[in-house]
Amino acid sequence: MTRVYNFSAGPAVMPEEVLREAAAEMMDYQGTGMSVMEMSHRSAMYQKIIDEAEQDLRDLMNIPDNYKVLFIQGGGHVQFAMVPMNLFVNKVGDYILTGQWATKAWKEAQLYGTANAIASSKDKGFSYIPDCSDLPVDENADYVYICLNNTIYGTVYHELPDTKGKDLVADISSCFLSEPIDVSKFGILWGGVQKNVGPAGLAIAIVREDLIRKDVLPGTPTMLRYSTYAESGSLYNTPPTYNIYICGKVFKWLKKQGGLEAMKKRNEEKAAILYDFLDSSSLFHGTAAKKDRSLMNVPFVTDDEELNALFLREAQAAGFVNLKGHRTVGGMRASLYNAMPKEGVEKLVAFMKEFEAKHSQ
Ligand SMILES: *Cc1c(COP(=O)(O)O)cnc(C)c1O
């Protein structure tokens, strides 16, 4: 068996320990004689799995009691719709456009009411986070929406926007559980799990209770109401049982690693290895504004398209895979999620140094 160093932005690398455990339990989960994927979601055994997953996530993120943790199918794009459908009262949402995912959320909200773009970094290819200290927040805005970590461009908010008293909603898909976060500063935090947590197809929404409304937009389907999940413990219908089980294993793994403070320290160390090299390299350079750099996604380029392509081919052959930048921006991108070992980044940088030595004039 050969494992590669997988720098994919998502679906992405998983902790090996979690994969091994899941493999060992595949045929017989704790003496039940069946896999978790064969198990009734109404069984006591499964109830324990989902309850523990929720509790471990609450422990890791220090989630206050007045927030619900909801396991929802459909990934990120369903949340783009659920946010306005559930939060629109005045039918106004203020969006900060820092890339493709924030823009898609903004466009989706336009289906249900007024979605304002109150700041944007599109002028420079979304390579930075705009100044959010004095935003033109709409008096009637039901919320202000951000994408906290911009997976494609490698930027992150180091400071949250001043929302002028409006509830802040954040997409945390690509920085979920990468470092501690103060949940109480947000109305809703949601993330698709396939970037930094688990298998694709599941989103986790952490929603302050007063935002779980009954009077949602007329016509909102039952399965797109946060209340449906909140009232049923995310078991209104059959949830993605296996995904939740794997996420639960990742939560336990994170606890064993020392929790989110420890992950932050490790993620900072890993990112520094790559950024320090990029800043000193004569061939490669990072594309995100230094002040806004993400710990999770590191886009970089050479100034030569052919060299970029050659680098990707040679890296792939050497076992460093999925380094191609997003199809809309090109170049390279290394995603350094929690499960990427430090050794993977060190070896990548050693490989980049060799490539540089061969190809620098
Ligand atoms: C990947 C990603 C999405 C889209 O998620 P889907 O599950 O594919 O809908 C949304 N937001 C961010 C920040 C992402 O990285």
PDB file of all heavy atoms in Angstrom, residues 75-77 80 101 147 149 151 171 173-174 190 194-195, ligand 1:
ATOM      1  N   GLY A  75     -24.174  19.584   1.607  1.00  0.00           N
ATOM      2  CA  GLY A  75     -22.923  20.319   1.477  1.00  0.00           C
ATOM      3  C   GLY A  75     -23.097  21.831   1.509  1.00  0.00           C
ATOM      4  O   GLY A  75     -24.106  22.350   1.995  1.00  0.00           O
ATOM      5  N   GLY A  76     -22.105  22.500   0.976  1.00  0.00           N
ATOM      6  CA  GLY A  76     -22.050  23.958   1.052  1.00  0.00           C
ATOM      7  C   GLY A  76     -23.169  24.661   0.317  1.00  0.00           C
ATOM      8  O   GLY A  76     -23.797  25.593   0.833  1.00  0.00           O
ATOM      9  N   HIS A  77     -23.441  24.219  -0.898  1.00  0.00           N
ATOM     10  CA  HIS A  77     -24.411  24.941  -1.729  1.00  0.00           C
ATOM     11  C   HIS A  77     -25.814  24.957  -1.142  1.00  0.00           C
ATOM     12  O   HIS A  77     -26.565  25.895  -1.381  1.00  0.00           O
ATOM     13  CB  HIS A  77     -24.427  24.356  -3.150  1.00  0.00           C
ATOM     14  CG  HIS A  77     -23.267  24.819  -3.977  1.00  0.00           C
ATOM     15  ND1 HIS A  77     -21.970  24.418  -3.719  1.00  0.00           N
ATOM     16  CD2 HIS A  77     -23.197  25.669  -5.027  1.00  0.00           C
ATOM     17  CE1 HIS A  77     -21.157  24.999  -4.594  1.00  0.00           C
ATOM     18  NE2 HIS A  77     -21.875  25.754  -5.394  1.00  0.00           N
ATOM     19  N   PHE A  80     -25.936  27.847   1.154  1.00  0.00           N
ATOM     20  CA  PHE A  80     -26.098  29.140   0.467  1.00  0.00           C
ATOM     21  C   PHE A  80     -27.585  29.508   0.419  1.00  0.00           C
ATOM     22  O   PHE A  80     -27.954  30.677   0.520  1.00  0.00           O
ATOM     23  CB  PHE A  80     -25.570  29.087  -0.978  1.00  0.00           C
ATOM     24  CG  PHE A  80     -24.089  28.833  -1.115  1.00  0.00           C
ATOM     25  CD1 PHE A  80     -23.560  28.409  -2.330  1.00  0.00           C
ATOM     26  CD2 PHE A  80     -23.219  29.025  -0.047  1.00  0.00           C
ATOM     27  CE1 PHE A  80     -22.194  28.185  -2.484  1.00  0.00           C
ATOM     28  CE2 PHE A  80     -21.843  28.797  -0.188  1.00  0.00           C
ATOM     29  CZ  PHE A  80     -21.346  28.365  -1.407  1.00  0.00           C
ATOM     30  N   TRP A 101     -16.927  31.442  -3.505  1.00  0.00           N
ATOM     31  CA  TRP A 101     -17.940  30.856  -2.619  1.00  0.00           C
ATOM     32  C   TRP A 101     -18.824  31.927  -2.005  1.00  0.00           C
ATOM     33  O   TRP A 101     -20.040  31.738  -1.883  1.00  0.00           O
ATOM     34  CB  TRP A 101     -17.293  29.994  -1.542  1.00  0.00           C
ATOM     35  CG  TRP A 101     -16.463  28.867  -2.109  1.00  0.00           C
ATOM     36  CD1 TRP A 101     -15.162  28.603  -1.839  1.00  0.00           C
ATOM     37  CD2 TRP A 101     -16.886  27.873  -3.058  1.00  0.00           C
ATOM     38  NE1 TRP A 101     -14.747  27.499  -2.553  1.00  0.00           N
ATOM     39  CE2 TRP A 101     -15.782  27.042  -3.311  1.00  0.00           C
ATOM     40  CE3 TRP A 101     -18.085  27.614  -3.744  1.00  0.00           C
ATOM     41  CZ2 TRP A 101     -15.837  25.959  -4.202  1.00  0.00           C
ATOM     42  CZ3 TRP A 101     -18.145  26.543  -4.617  1.00  0.00           C
ATOM     43  CH2 TRP A 101     -17.030  25.738  -4.840  1.00  0.00           C
ATOM     44  N   CYS A 147     -17.378  34.605   3.939  1.00  0.00           N
ATOM     45  CA  CYS A 147     -16.692  33.314   3.807  1.00  0.00           C
ATOM     46  C   CYS A 147     -15.372  33.501   4.549  1.00  0.00           C
ATOM     47  O   CYS A 147     -14.507  34.253   4.107  1.00  0.00           O
ATOM     48  CB  CYS A 147     -16.459  32.976   2.334  1.00  0.00           C
ATOM     49  SG  CYS A 147     -15.568  31.428   2.113  1.00  0.00           S
ATOM     50  N   ASN A 149     -12.654  31.669   5.426  1.00  0.00           N
ATOM     51  CA  ASN A 149     -11.386  31.261   4.795  1.00  0.00           C
ATOM     52  C   ASN A 149     -11.673  30.963   3.324  1.00  0.00           C
ATOM     53  O   ASN A 149     -12.550  30.147   3.018  1.00  0.00           O
ATOM     54  CB  ASN A 149     -10.821  30.017   5.481  1.00  0.00           C
ATOM     55  CG  ASN A 149      -9.461  29.621   4.931  1.00  0.00           C
ATOM     56  OD1 ASN A 149      -8.430  30.173   5.299  1.00  0.00           O
ATOM     57  ND2 ASN A 149      -9.438  28.647   4.034  1.00  0.00           N
ATOM     58  N   THR A 151     -10.920  29.329   0.249  1.00  0.00           N
ATOM     59  CA  THR A 151     -10.250  28.111  -0.185  1.00  0.00           C
ATOM     60  C   THR A 151      -9.464  28.277  -1.489  1.00  0.00           C
ATOM     61  O   THR A 151      -8.374  27.727  -1.635  1.00  0.00           O
ATOM     62  CB  THR A 151     -11.326  27.020  -0.406  1.00  0.00           C
ATOM     63  OG1 THR A 151     -12.376  27.200   0.538  1.00  0.00           O
ATOM     64  CG2 THR A 151     -10.758  25.637  -0.273  1.00  0.00           C
ATOM     65  N   ASP A 171     -19.350  31.156   6.504  1.00  0.00           N
ATOM     66  CA  ASP A 171     -18.996  29.868   5.900  1.00  0.00           C
ATOM     67  C   ASP A 171     -17.580  29.545   6.368  1.00  0.00           C
ATOM     68  O   ASP A 171     -16.636  30.259   6.041  1.00  0.00           O
ATOM     69  CB  ASP A 171     -19.062  30.031   4.369  1.00  0.00           C
ATOM     70  CG  ASP A 171     -18.481  28.843   3.600  1.00  0.00           C
ATOM     71  OD1 ASP A 171     -18.012  27.871   4.226  1.00  0.00           O
ATOM     72  OD2 ASP A 171     -18.508  28.904   2.353  1.00  0.00           O
ATOM     73  N   SER A 173     -16.164  26.434   5.932  1.00  0.00           N
ATOM     74  CA  SER A 173     -15.854  25.112   5.351  1.00  0.00           C
ATOM     75  C   SER A 173     -14.370  24.774   5.379  1.00  0.00           C
ATOM     76  O   SER A 173     -13.992  23.678   5.792  1.00  0.00           O
ATOM     77  CB  SER A 173     -16.337  25.049   3.903  1.00  0.00           C
ATOM     78  OG  SER A 173     -17.729  25.211   3.833  1.00  0.00           O
ATOM     79  N   SER A 174     -13.530  25.696   4.918  1.00  0.00           N
ATOM     80  CA  SER A 174     -12.124  25.316   4.737  1.00  0.00           C
ATOM     81  C   SER A 174     -11.230  25.696   5.915  1.00  0.00           C
ATOM     82  O   SER A 174     -10.013  25.538   5.826  1.00  0.00           O
ATOM     83  CB  SER A 174     -11.587  25.885   3.423  1.00  0.00           C
ATOM     84  OG  SER A 174     -11.857  27.261   3.347  1.00  0.00           O
ATOM     85  N   TRP A 190     -21.335  27.819   9.589  1.00  0.00           N
ATOM     86  CA  TRP A 190     -21.595  26.529   8.950  1.00  0.00           C
ATOM     87  C   TRP A 190     -20.389  26.131   8.116  1.00  0.00           C
ATOM     88  O   TRP A 190     -19.645  26.974   7.631  1.00  0.00           O
ATOM     89  CB  TRP A 190     -22.879  26.572   8.103  1.00  0.00           C
ATOM     90  CG  TRP A 190     -22.782  27.404   6.861  1.00  0.00           C
ATOM     91  CD1 TRP A 190     -23.224  28.686   6.684  1.00  0.00           C
ATOM     92  CD2 TRP A 190     -22.184  27.020   5.606  1.00  0.00           C
ATOM     93  NE1 TRP A 190     -22.933  29.117   5.420  1.00  0.00           N
ATOM     94  CE2 TRP A 190     -22.305  28.115   4.730  1.00  0.00           C
ATOM     95  CE3 TRP A 190     -21.571  25.853   5.152  1.00  0.00           C
ATOM     96  CZ2 TRP A 190     -21.827  28.091   3.420  1.00  0.00           C
ATOM     97  CZ3 TRP A 190     -21.097  25.823   3.844  1.00  0.00           C
ATOM     98  CH2 TRP A 190     -21.231  26.939   3.005  1.00  0.00           C
ATOM     99  N   GLN A 194     -16.140  18.368   3.951  1.00  0.00           N
ATOM    100  CA  GLN A 194     -15.175  17.648   3.106  1.00  0.00           C
ATOM    101  C   GLN A 194     -13.830  18.344   2.948  1.00  0.00           C
ATOM    102  O   GLN A 194     -12.967  17.828   2.250  1.00  0.00           O
ATOM    103  CB  GLN A 194     -15.785  17.385   1.721  1.00  0.00           C
ATOM    104  CG  GLN A 194     -15.883  18.586   0.804  1.00  0.00           C
ATOM    105  CD  GLN A 194     -17.177  19.362   0.970  1.00  0.00           C
ATOM    106  OE1 GLN A 194     -17.764  19.382   2.034  1.00  0.00           O
ATOM    107  NE2 GLN A 194     -17.627  20.016  -0.091  1.00  0.00           N
ATOM    108  N   LYS A 195     -13.649  19.510   3.559  1.00  0.00           N
ATOM    109  CA  LYS A 195     -12.355  20.181   3.454  1.00  0.00           C
ATOM    110  C   LYS A 195     -11.467  19.742   4.618  1.00  0.00           C
ATOM    111  O   LYS A 195     -10.440  19.132   4.416  1.00  0.00           O
ATOM    112  CB  LYS A 195     -12.534  21.699   3.447  1.00  0.00           C
ATOM    113  CG  LYS A 195     -13.533  22.213   2.417  1.00  0.00           C
ATOM    114  CD  LYS A 195     -13.104  21.920   0.985  1.00  0.00           C
ATOM    115  CE  LYS A 195     -14.235  21.998  -0.023  1.00  0.00           C
ATOM    116  NZ  LYS A 195     -14.705  23.305  -0.379  1.00  0.00           N
TER     117      LYS A 195
HETATM  118  C1  LIG B   1     -15.808  23.821  -1.118  1.00  0.00           C
HETATM  119  C2  LIG B   1     -16.446  25.010  -0.544  1.00  0.00           C
HETATM  120  C3  LIG B   1     -17.819  25.272  -0.719  1.00  0.00           C
HETATM  121  C4  LIG B   1     -18.720  24.395  -1.588  1.00  0.00           C
HETATM  122  O1  LIG B   1     -19.061  23.233  -0.949  1.00  0.00           O
HETATM  123  P1  LIG B   1     -20.012  22.109  -1.647  1.00  0.00           P
HETATM  124  O2  LIG B   1     -20.155  21.119  -0.542  1.00  0.00           O
HETATM  125  O3  LIG B   1     -19.274  21.598  -2.843  1.00  0.00           O
HETATM  126  O4  LIG B   1     -21.287  22.758  -2.002  1.00  0.00           O
HETATM  127  C5  LIG B   1     -18.340  26.366  -0.091  1.00  0.00           C
HETATM  128  N1  LIG B   1     -17.590  27.186   0.666  1.00  0.00           N
HETATM  129  C6  LIG B   1     -16.267  26.977   0.839  1.00  0.00           C
HETATM  130  C7  LIG B   1     -15.468  27.920   1.679  1.00  0.00           C
HETATM  131  C8  LIG B   1     -15.654  25.885   0.245  1.00  0.00           C
HETATM  132  O5  LIG B   1     -14.334  25.687   0.408  1.00  0.00           O
END
